[in-house]
Amino acid sequence: RMETLEKGEGIDWATGELLAFGSLLQEGVPVRLSGQDCRRGTFSQRHSVLTDMHTGEHYTPLNGLSDQQAPYMVYDSMLSENAVMGFEYGYSLVNPNVLVLWEAQFGDFANNAQVIIDQFISSAEYKWQRRSGLVLLLPHGLEGQGPEHSSARLERFLQLCAEDNMQVCYPTTPAQYFHLLRRQMKQDFRKPLIVMSPKSLLRHPLAVSNLTEMTAGHFQEVLSDTDSVKAPQRILLCSGKVYYDLLEHRKSATGSHCALVRMEQFYPFPERALEEIVDRYGLDREWCWVQEEPRNMGGWSFVQPRLTGLLGHSPRYIGRAEAASPATGHHTTHKLELAALLDEALG
């Protein structure tokens, strides 16, 4: 990690998170994180707390930055999502000046706290004028790990979105995640933030950022194609991990006619940013929405009517068919489904 910072490039997801936490702590903003296996990171990426193997003593590097810094509080919680998320929601109400985060071991585990999401996080501001800045980190993405370890149920959160009640984001780079966490405390209001967070992207060689992307700029709701495809015939709108699948497949396939556009924020819907993308490419292109989730899940049902309003017609859907389960339980089938999806998108 020190080497990537000294070079100023190749900064991975966990380092981007630590830079966000550390910079906020130095600016006097306390950070509180709880969830299953949070101290080392659910997928062994964070290493917030180190343990002396001889004495058993714990050391938290983020609490050793300076004498003037705010405290960093991180807890491994029990497997009782309803209780823990409810506690952290209450903590965020009592002290809105703390960045309060709850992380699921897998995004699916938030199912067990659905009553907190429905009754409080999504609706408390409208019902009782109680504002919360709670952040939910929900590892999401179809990795071939089976139905219970694939989906944070993005579609459920989007169905709850109305009246600017919360923010739902799916960042794809460490720099985007860095700015998103800082934005949560720098904006002059408090809204819950739902983050579809990564699993394989934690160590993906392309999911890295430069230090200059963090020291300058801001969170971007939409990311246009970084390869600047000349006169693309097809525009592939997508979000999250599938972008990197499409990017790698485009290099090895005859996909040079396709431009890749990432929606990093679903709600509030980034209409103005998308209007600029539409103006840039023009309406005479083939516009498609690509997702890895089944058709009745993911972002399709939410974005389809909104994109239709922007384009004047419905974009083409590319993704898995409707399904009762979030994902197949067979790894070989998962790979075949993904290959078919990519071939259709870039064919």
Side-chain angles (χ1 to χ4, degrees):
R1 287 179 176 172
M2 183 63 72
E3 184 178 346
T4 61
L5 289 175
E6 289 172 347
K7 290 181 178 179
E9 59 187 24
I11 296 171
D12 65 11
W13 200 273
T15 308
E17 179 184 78
L18 289 172
L19 289 171
F21 288 171
S23 61
L24 287 171
L25 294 171
Q26 290 282 60
E27 294 166 15
V29 178
V31 176
R32 176 186 174 87
L33 170 66
S34 72
Q36 296 114 17
D37 207 15
C38 275
R39 294 192 295 180
R40 71 160 193 161
T42 293
F43 305 108
S44 301
Q45 85 277 10
R46 186 174 291 121
H47 305 296
S48 279
V49 179
L50 308 177
T51 303
D52 189 308
M53 60 185 296
H54 298 294
T55 67
E57 184 180 356
H58 291 159
Y59 175 68
T60 305
L62 280 175
N63 279 327
L65 302 178
S66 70
D67 294 334
Q68 292 77 37
Q69 71 165 86
Y72 174 59
M73 302 160 279
V74 57
Y75 305 99
D76 292 337
S77 71
M78 56 185 175
L79 279 163
S80 181
E81 293 83 4
N82 186 65
V84 180
M85 188 191 295
F87 184 89
E88 300 305 335
Y89 173 79
Y91 197 103
S92 71
L93 294 179
V94 171
N95 196 337
N97 296 316
V98 176
L99 176 62
V100 183
L101 311 100
W102 178 82
E103 182 175 71
Q105 196 164 57
F106 286 89
D108 315 63
F109 294 9
N111 279 341
N112 296 316
Q114 195 66 43
V115 66
I116 302 299
I117 296 166
D118 291 346
Q119 298 293 96
F120 299 96
I121 291 175
S122 66
S123 57
E125 181 176 359
Y126 180 81
K127 293 188 294 188
W128 308 308
Q129 291 76 56
R130 297 306 307 271
R131 297 170 180 84
S132 166
L134 179 64
V135 180
L136 302 187
L137 303 179
L138 308 178
H140 175 83
L142 277 67
E143 315 274 10
Q145 294 180 295
E148 313 310 336
H149 288 161
S150 296
S151 176
R153 296 291 190 175
L154 170 63
E155 64 280 357
R156 292 185 183 174
F157 289 99
L158 295 178
Q159 187 181 42
L160 295 170
C161 289
E163 300 179 302
D164 294 325
N165 60 334
M166 56 185 177
Q167 307 154 102
V168 180
C169 299
Y170 199 169
T172 55
T173 72
Q176 282 282 88
Y177 182 46
F178 170 87
H179 289 301
L180 184 61
L181 291 176
R182 288 185 52 81
R183 184 184 77 170
Q184 184 68 358
M185 298 309 296
K186 295 300 181 179
Q187 57 197 8
D188 57 1
F189 56 86
R190 293 291 175 261
K191 298 280 184 179
L193 170 62
I194 315 301
V195 182
M196 299 291 114
S197 63
K199 293 180 284 184
S200 64
L201 297 191
L202 293 171
R203 295 173 180 83
H204 197 292
L206 297 178
V208 293
S209 297
N210 295 331
L211 191 60
T212 53
E213 295 176 274
M214 298 177 177
T215 56
H218 55 88
F219 177 74
Q220 300 180 66
E221 298 169 345
V222 178
L223 293 177
S224 59
D225 199 314
T226 55
D227 289 342
S228 299
V229 178
K230 294 182 179 179
Q233 302 168 26
R234 180 181 294 175
I235 314 300
L236 300 178
L237 294 162
C238 64
S239 188
K241 180 185 74 69
V242 75
Y243 164 76
Y244 290 99
D245 296 325
L246 290 165
L247 185 64
E248 292 185 277
H249 196 68
R250 185 172 68 174
K251 294 176 181 177
S252 59
T254 56
S256 59
H257 63 296
C258 298
L260 306 178
V261 177
R262 282 170 279 176
M263 270 186 60
E264 302 278 291
Q265 177 172 297
F266 280 93
Y267 193 81
F269 187 68
E271 185 172 357
R272 184 175 299 177
L274 286 170
E275 283 177 346
E276 294 177 359
I277 296 292
V278 172
D279 290 342
R280 172 182 171 185
Y281 290 115
L283 292 171
D284 57 342
R285 305 286 188 259
E286 183 184 12
W287 291 83
C288 307
W289 173 261
V290 185
Q291 68 177 37
E292 59 180 356
E293 301 90 352
R295 186 182 183 121
N296 56 319
M297 304 177 194
W300 170 243
S301 296
F302 179 82
V303 302
Q304 191 270 338
R306 291 165 173 81
L307 292 177
T308 298
L310 287 175
L311 299 171
H313 61 84
S314 177
R316 174 183 168 191
Y317 171 82
I318 300 176
R320 288 173 168 84
E322 291 185 351
S325 172
T328 177
H330 194 262
H331 189 71
T332 300
T333 303
H334 162 78
K335 292 171 66 177
L336 290 171
E337 290 176 348
L338 179 61
L341 182 160
L342 297 174
D343 286 341
E344 182 182 357
L346 295 165

